């Protein structure tokens, strides 16, 4: 398994191109299953999760061809069942279920199972499918959904932690081919859901209200092929913004959309970080001393849970006390123990982490555990004195395109050690 060797305390300077959004492209690739015609998706990031989704679609019978930063998908004929092992390995693949149900009126995928950040239930996805008239059965580790007809319905998809992003995506995709009108209340408002809705509408769907808590889908007979350019990855952009602040540097995030990052940019400003918007993107620079901030992760447009770990890394460098509260997932503090190995002073109190920042970090070997926790460790390593080795970086390759190459371009001393 590869690892990164990082020699810290080097301010990052320069410009980084922000790639297409992982969490938009995964459901959008799945949406291509809804038509027998070809779809072309552009600004596709070169990530292991994206390649994996391509394998799943191929397994389902679609023709998938990656060409540069585009992918051409044509699902002339497809199977209704996903391969148990393939689907179990990547939670995001649950979003093939909605398109399979919409197109074939049947779908069977393996239960995605939990991961290090939480149980990751899919009860709300299944509640939405059932509301459309599907019979849902869980047996032998698979979840089966089938329906003679899908009929539009009104439904409430809010759960214990608020809306569900992929649940909204899944039900929206199935509803595009249902008979009649579907209204999803407490729909997720994330930009990735909006991007999916615009792709579906380009395919001939009739969706309104995406980005608001109430999404209306008027079913149509069939969908046609379409082309689409994926939105830039707001989580990747936030990660580089925080890395710039953590290393006392100045970085321009080329192609980043400030309107997708309001909560993050607001918190960075409160922390004393300089933010400047321009036509090229967003320029982030450290403006002297950092100030502690309190963070609570919330559904969009609140502070994103996917940036919680990275912000915690920044707060370990900030003199004072910051309180970081995770409200979306039940165990998203895996990075705390590893940050502590670098010298951070963090105490967990229930859903909150109390960060007593300001002491310089010192490099050490640390273990990546999940995608965003790993990014936090890279940020901490970039700021720490001495050398940090981040192990199991396959976690990072899932969601960050060429992160070591992009960081080197910004002056970071980071190298990938490929373990045979
Ligand atoms: C998406 O996951 C993202 N993944 C996650 O990003 C992101 O953290 C999450 O949304 C929240 O923003 C992709 O888009 C591929 P949820 P998703 O359903 O859709 C509970 C990353 O690092 N819930 O919005 O699976 C759930 O337990 C990843 O890029 C139910 O209770 O998340 C959680 O507490 C990590 N029942 C909350 O809702 C359900 O049926 C939000 O989960 C579904 C979810």
């Amino acid at each position: 398994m590869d690892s990164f060797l990082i020699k810290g305390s080097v301010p990052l300077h320069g410009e980084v191109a922000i790639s297409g959004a992982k969490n938009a492209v995964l459901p959008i690739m799945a949406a291509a299953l809804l038509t027998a015609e070809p779809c072309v998706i552009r600004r596709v990031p070169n990530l292991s999760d994206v390649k994996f989704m391509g394998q799943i679609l191929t397994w389902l019978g679609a023709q998938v061809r990656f060409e540069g930063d585009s992918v051409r998908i044509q699902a002339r004929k497809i199977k209704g069942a996903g391969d148990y092992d393939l689907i179990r390995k990547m939670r995001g693949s649950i979003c093939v279920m909605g398109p399979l149900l919409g197109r074939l009126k049947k779908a069977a995928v393996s239960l995605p199972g939990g991961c290090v950040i939480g149980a990751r239930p899919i009860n709300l996805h299944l509640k939405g499918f059932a509301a459309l008239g599907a019979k849902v059965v869980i047996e032998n580790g698979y979840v089966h959904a089938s329906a003679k007809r899908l009929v539009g319905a009104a439904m409430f998809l809010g759960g214990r932690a608020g809306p569900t992003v992929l649940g909204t995506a899944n039900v929206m995709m199935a509803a595009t081919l249902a008979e009649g009108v579907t209204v999803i209340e407490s729909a997720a408002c994330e930009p990735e859901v909006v991007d999916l809705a615009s792709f579906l509408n380009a395919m001939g769907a009739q969706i309104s209200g995406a980005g608001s808590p109430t999404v209306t889908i008027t079913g149509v007979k069939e969908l046609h092929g379409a082309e689409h350019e994926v939105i830039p990855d707001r989580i990747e952009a936030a990660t580089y913004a925080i890395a710039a602040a953590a290393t006392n540097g100045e970085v321009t995030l080329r192609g980043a959309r400030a309107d997708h990052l309001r909560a993050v940019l607001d918190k960075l400003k409160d922390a004393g970080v300089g933010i400047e918007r321009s036509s090229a993107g967003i320029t982030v620079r450290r403006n002297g001393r950092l100030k502690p901030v309190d963070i609570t992760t919330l559904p969009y447009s609140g502070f994103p849970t996917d940036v919680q770990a990275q912000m915690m890394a920044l707060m370990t460098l900030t003199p004072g006390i910051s309180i970081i509260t995770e409200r979306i997932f039940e165990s998203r503090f895996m990075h705390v123990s590893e940050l502590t190995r670098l010298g951070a002073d963090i105490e967990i109190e229930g859903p909150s982490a109390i960060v007593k920042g300001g002491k310089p970090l010192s490099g050490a070997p640390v273990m990546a555990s999940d995608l965003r926790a790993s990014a936090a460790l890279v940020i901490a390593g970039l700021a720490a004195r001495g050398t940090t080795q981040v192990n199991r970086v396959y976690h990072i390759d899932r969601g960050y395109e060429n992160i070591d190459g992009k960081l080197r371009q910004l002056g970071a001393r980071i190298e990938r050690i490929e373990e045979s």
Side-chain angles (χ1 to χ4, degrees), residues 169 251 279 283 286 302:
V251 172
S279 52
T283 300
R286 176 76 160 269

Side-chain angles (χ1 to χ4, degrees), residues 283-306:
T283 300
V284 179
R285 70 173 67 80
R286 176 76 160 269
N287 263 347
R289 193 179 164 84
L290 287 170
K291 291 176 259 179
V293 294
D294 295 341
I295 305 262
T296 298
T297 64
L298 289 169
Y300 193 86
S301 56
F303 193 91
T305 174
D306 293 348

Side-chain angles (χ1 to χ4, degrees), residues 22-23 26 91-92 117 119-125 159-167 190 234 305-306 328-330 332 371-372:
K22 165 179 87 83
N23 292 349
L26 293 177
R91 174 181 165 69
I117 65 178
R120 313 298 295 275
I122 58 167
N123 60 306
L124 297 171
H125 300 233
R160 57 174 191 73
T164 163
V165 172
L166 288 183
E190 273 69 2
R234 60 191 170 101
T305 174
D306 293 348
I328 304 297
F329 290 108
E330 56 268 37
R332 200 167 198 176
L371 173 52
R372 307 303 174 184

Side-chain angles (χ1 to χ4, degrees), residues 256-272:
R257 280 187 52 173
D259 60 323
H260 290 167
L261 283 161
R262 288 203 180 97
V264 173
L265 298 180
D266 181 58
K267 277 299 171 188
L268 285 174
K269 271 187 224 149
D270 289 352

Side-chain angles (χ1 to χ4, degrees), residues 130-165:
L132 294 174
K135 181 167 162 286
V136 175
V137 174
I138 292 180
E139 59 184 2
N140 313 326
Y142 275 86
V143 53
H144 299 261
S146 57
K148 282 198 184 43
R149 300 166 53 219
L150 287 181
V151 180
M155 62 187 77
F156 181 82
L157 281 192
R160 57 174 191 73
T164 163
V165 172

